[in-house]
């Protein structure tokens, strides 16, 4: 039987070599392209005939817009409007990546740390630049707790810096680990359906099958939740950089 | 056609009132309540705490080992930054549990209590 981890294997579909760089178009790239086209398609098609009473497509587009809009308003406030396009694109891309992964035989590109780390680094570098642009060198005050005697700063500043630098790691690992663990778990339990079913004349397969059904529902919830968490953390980081305490 | 016009206006008015009701209900709901529930739910919280500690420690090790590799002082900075990273991880956990939420960087505690709107800011509050 196939290994539970085989679903995460990157397979090159079109080989592209640029010097020593392997720029092959892989199954991961394919699903990123699908997510991109699907996301743009829903929004463009949905809003092409903007009606007062929305149709199905328009409802989806409006729901997503409202959802992210409210999220930004609640976390950053009205200043956050400027960052709406970025957060919205990020949210839709991750959400579609997670959801596409729930389709059987599909590839989940968010289950690869390199993808999520790249997304998290974009957020992290962007937020840091934003902080320096808004506050200049005052941004370094971020790392200096007020009212602490001098010698203690020697200890506390490195801790604060490490804590700040660990943001992209926890941000990316959260998404990647959730997707990886969920998909692996489903695959492992799916293996039990066959394994137990084969020795007990299919009776033993019922329980794991029921379990997979429940886990799939849970996994869909997690797929949404993780996209949401990524978006809300991005909002909170931007909020931190805008209004330093 | 006055009849049809009247009818469509009536239905639009009806829609308007229904929309207003929905949006009122939406506004009155305590904002961020649900977000906090999700963020604080048992497994989610446990996962976050574990992740915070691991991320901090891993980064400390990476920085320490990098410095040692560069300066050729092997166990010195590795041990130092391992400890600092571990503390940083716990610092993040402490922030999570004292209600400073996802915010990183130093925040005055009284600050969070003073501002009444802080509670409405999702998991941070």
């Amino acid at each position: 039987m196939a290994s539970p981890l085989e679903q995460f294997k990157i397979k090159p579909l079109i080989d592209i070599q640029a010097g020593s760089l392997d720029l092959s178009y892989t199954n991961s790239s394919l699903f990123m392209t699908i997510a991109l086209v699907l996301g743009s398609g829903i929004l463009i098609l949905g809003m092409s005939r903007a009606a007062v009473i929305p149709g199905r497509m328009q409802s989806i587009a409006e729901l997503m817009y409202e959802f992210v809009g409210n999220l930004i308003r609640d976390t950053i406030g009205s200043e956050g409007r400027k960052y709406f396009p970025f957060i919205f694109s990020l949210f839709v891309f991750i959400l579609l990546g997670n959801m596409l992964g729930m389709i059987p035989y599909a590839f989940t590109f968010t289950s690869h740390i390199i993808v999520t780390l790249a997304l998290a680094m974009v957020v992290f570098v962007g937020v840091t630049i934003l902080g320096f642009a808004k506050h200049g060198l005052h941004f370094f005050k971020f790392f200096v707790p007020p009212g602490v005697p001098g010698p203690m700063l020697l200890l506390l500043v490195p801790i604060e810096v490490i804590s700040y630098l660990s943001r992209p790691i926890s941000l990316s690992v959260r998404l990647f680990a959730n997707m990886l663990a969920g998909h692996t778990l489903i695959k492992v339990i799916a293996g039990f359906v066959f394994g137990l079913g084969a020795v007990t004349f299919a009776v033993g397969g019922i329980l794991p099958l029921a379990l997979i059904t429940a886990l799939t529902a849970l996994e869909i919830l997690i797929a949404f939740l993780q996209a949401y968490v990524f978006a809300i953390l991005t909002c909170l980081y931007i909020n931190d950089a805008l209004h330093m305490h | 056609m006055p009849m049809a016009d009247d009818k469509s206006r009536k239905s639009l008015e009806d829609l308007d009132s229904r929309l207003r009701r929905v949006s009122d209900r939406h506004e009155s709901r305590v904002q961020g309540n649900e977000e906090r529930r999700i963020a604080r739910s048992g497994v989610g919280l446990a996962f976050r705490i574990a992740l915070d500690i691991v991320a901090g420690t891993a980064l400390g090790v990476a920085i320490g080992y990098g410095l040692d590799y560069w300066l050729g002082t092997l166990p010195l900075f590795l041990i130092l930054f391992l400890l600092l990273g571990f503390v940083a991880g716990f610092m993040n956990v402490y922030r999570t549990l004292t209600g400073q939420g996802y915010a990183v960087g130093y925040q005055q505690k009284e600050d969070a209590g003073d501002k009444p709107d802080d509670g409405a800011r999702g998991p941070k509050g």
Side-chain angles (χ1 to χ4, degrees), chain A residues 42-54:
Chain A
I42 289 172
L43 289 168
I44 293 167
L45 281 178
M47 297 316 288
S48 62
R49 276 190 302 116
V52 178
I53 301 162

Side-chain angles (χ1 to χ4, degrees), chain A residues 70 74 142 145-146 159-160 162-167 169-170 173-174 178 225 228 233 236 239-240 245, chain B residues 26 31 35 38 47-48 51 55 59 81 84 87-88 91-92 95 102-107 111 121 123-124:
Chain A
N70 283 339
D74 292 346
F142 210 36
I159 290 173
E160 291 292 341
I162 291 176
S163 150
Y164 183 74
L165 291 177
S166 71
R167 271 175 173 186
I169 298 178
S170 56
V173 169
R174 199 188 324 271
N178 269 291
L225 210 61
Y228 169 73
L233 282 176
L236 289 172
N239 182 49
D240 269 358
H245 296 273
Chain B
H26 188 75
Q31 285 289 349
E35 294 154 21
I38 292 168
F47 187 72
R48 242 177 80 191
L51 190 60
L59 193 78
F81 276 90
L84 283 178
V87 175
M91 198 92 152
N92 286 340
R95 283 203 186 94
Y102 290 106
V104 183
Y106 192 81
Q107 288 182 305
D111 214 36
R121 277 203 207 148
K124 198 183 159 192

Side-chain angles (χ1 to χ4, degrees), chain A residues 91-126:
Chain A
F91 173 73
V92 172
F93 185 64
I94 294 170
L95 180 67
L96 285 175
N98 292 350
M99 286 299 181
L100 283 173
M102 292 312 298
I103 300 170
Y105 298 103
F107 181 85
T108 325
F109 61 79
T110 43
S111 65
H112 280 259
I113 182 91
I114 192 68
V115 176
T116 59
L117 188 64
L119 289 170
M121 282 314 282
V122 169
V123 172
F124 177 74
V125 172

Side-chain angles (χ1 to χ4, degrees), chain A residues 179-243:
Chain A
M179 300 321 290
L180 185 80
H183 284 261
T184 310
L185 190 65
I186 288 183
K187 193 69 183 268
V188 166
I189 292 174
F192 288 161
V193 176
F194 179 78
L196 288 176
V199 290
T200 56
F201 304 103
V203 180
I206 295 171
L207 190 66
L209 194 64
L211 206 57
I212 301 178
T213 314
L215 274 176
T216 307
L218 181 72
E219 215 28 50
I220 289 173
L221 174 75
I222 287 176
F224 167 76
L225 210 61
Q226 287 307 316
Y228 169 73
V229 166
F230 204 99
I232 200 171
L233 282 176
T234 307
C235 287
L236 289 172
Y237 291 165
I238 291 175
N239 182 49
D240 269 358
L242 285 180
H243 321 102

